[in-house]
Amino acid sequence: MGGKSYYCDYCSCFLKNDINVRKVHNSGLGHKIAKLRYMRRFEEPRKVLEEECKKEPCIRFLSGRYCKFDLCCNSSHFNQKQLERLAKIAEKLEKSQARKSSMKSLNLGNGVALPWIITGRVNNKKICQKIKRLPESLKPINFNRMSNDVTNSEWGRYKKKMLHNN
């Protein structure tokens, strides 16, 4: 090819590094289908299910023949069994997201979960257990104890005594 070449991630091919060649390639049906196929992996299963249920079945594709429009087709390429499987996947995903959101609500009000505190609910009562035997650096700060230590401290007295004695 000579010179530098451009690699299309969607189509897995090398092109001449020329703006006109890239424009023609990016506007082609093969590139659009490859890009749609790649981007479809990141879509929500519920959204894909809703879109596919609205479409009529593609007679050509479901009869075993080739549909040149692939993902750009105005008809659905999913059969009934595949739609049911997609519905189950979407349902499982929604349940797991609901569980995650309920676990987040069990964390502290400011959204920070402290690693030394186990929270949960038992009989609709919020429980909070502390993990025992943590190193001092990971233990939660007891502000009551700290304020008592600060008020009862004799900071600086030792140095003053030492300075007066010398």
Side-chain angles (χ1 to χ4, degrees), residues 51-84:
E51 290 175 359
E52 293 298 325
C53 286
K54 291 177 185 175
K55 297 179 183 178
E56 293 182 16
C58 181
I59 306 297
R60 184 176 183 93
F61 184 79
L62 295 177
S63 65
R65 294 185 293 178
Y66 175 72
C67 178
K68 67 179 180 177
F69 299 108
D70 200 15
L71 293 175
C72 296
C73 186
N74 291 331
S75 303
S76 176
H77 288 187
F78 286 86
N79 60 25
Q80 192 61 33
K81 192 175 183 179
Q82 290 170 329
L83 287 174
E84 289 170 1

Side-chain angles (χ1 to χ4, degrees), residues 143-159:
F143 290 106
N144 295 329
R145 195 179 101 209
M146 183 187 297
S147 64
N148 292 339
D149 289 344
V150 171
T151 57
N152 295 335
S153 68
E154 298 180 5
W155 290 353
R157 288 188 181 180
Y158 179 75
K159 284 187 177 181

Side-chain angles (χ1 to χ4, degrees), residues 57-140:
C58 181
I59 306 297
R60 184 176 183 93
F61 184 79
L62 295 177
S63 65
R65 294 185 293 178
Y66 175 72
C67 178
K68 67 179 180 177
F69 299 108
D70 200 15
L71 293 175
C72 296
C73 186
N74 291 331
S75 303
S76 176
H77 288 187
F78 286 86
N79 60 25
Q80 192 61 33
K81 192 175 183 179
Q82 290 170 329
L83 287 174
E84 289 170 1
R85 192 176 327 142
L86 187 58
K88 287 180 182 177
I89 291 170
E91 189 177 318
K92 284 182 182 178
L93 186 62
E94 286 175 358
K95 284 182 181 178
S96 70
Q97 287 175 345
R99 262 190 259 124
K100 285 181 184 177
S101 66
S102 68
M103 290 302 289
K104 283 183 182 178
S105 67
L106 291 176
N107 291 341
L108 296 177
N110 60 2
V112 178
L114 302 174
W116 56 80
I117 298 177
I118 300 172
T119 59
R121 292 194 174 269
V122 176
N123 298 332
N124 282 339
K125 293 181 180 178
K126 191 171 180 180
I127 61 164
C128 181
Q129 296 176 338
K130 293 187 178 181
I131 299 174
K132 297 177 181 175
R133 297 174 45 181
L134 279 175
E136 286 295 322
S137 61
L138 292 179
K139 287 184 181 178

Side-chain angles (χ1 to χ4, degrees), residues 12-78:
S12 300
C13 66
F14 288 94
L15 307 167
K16 184 178 178 186
N17 194 12
D18 181 32
I19 189 74
N20 294 328
V21 172
R22 279 191 273 161
K23 282 184 181 179
V24 169
H25 171 76
N26 290 343
S27 65
L29 184 64
H31 176 77
K32 287 182 180 178
I33 289 173
K35 185 177 178 180
L36 273 174
R37 187 173 283 136
Y38 177 80
M39 298 304 278
R40 195 99 192 246
R41 294 188 295 179
F42 303 107
E43 286 184 5
E44 293 288 328
R46 179 62 64 187
K47 180 184 172 191
V48 174
L49 180 65
E50 290 172 1
E51 290 175 359
E52 293 298 325
C53 286
K54 291 177 185 175
K55 297 179 183 178
E56 293 182 16
C58 181
I59 306 297
R60 184 176 183 93
F61 184 79
L62 295 177
S63 65
R65 294 185 293 178
Y66 175 72
C67 178
K68 67 179 180 177
F69 299 108
D70 200 15
L71 293 175
C72 296
C73 186
N74 291 331
S75 303
S76 176
H77 288 187
F78 286 86

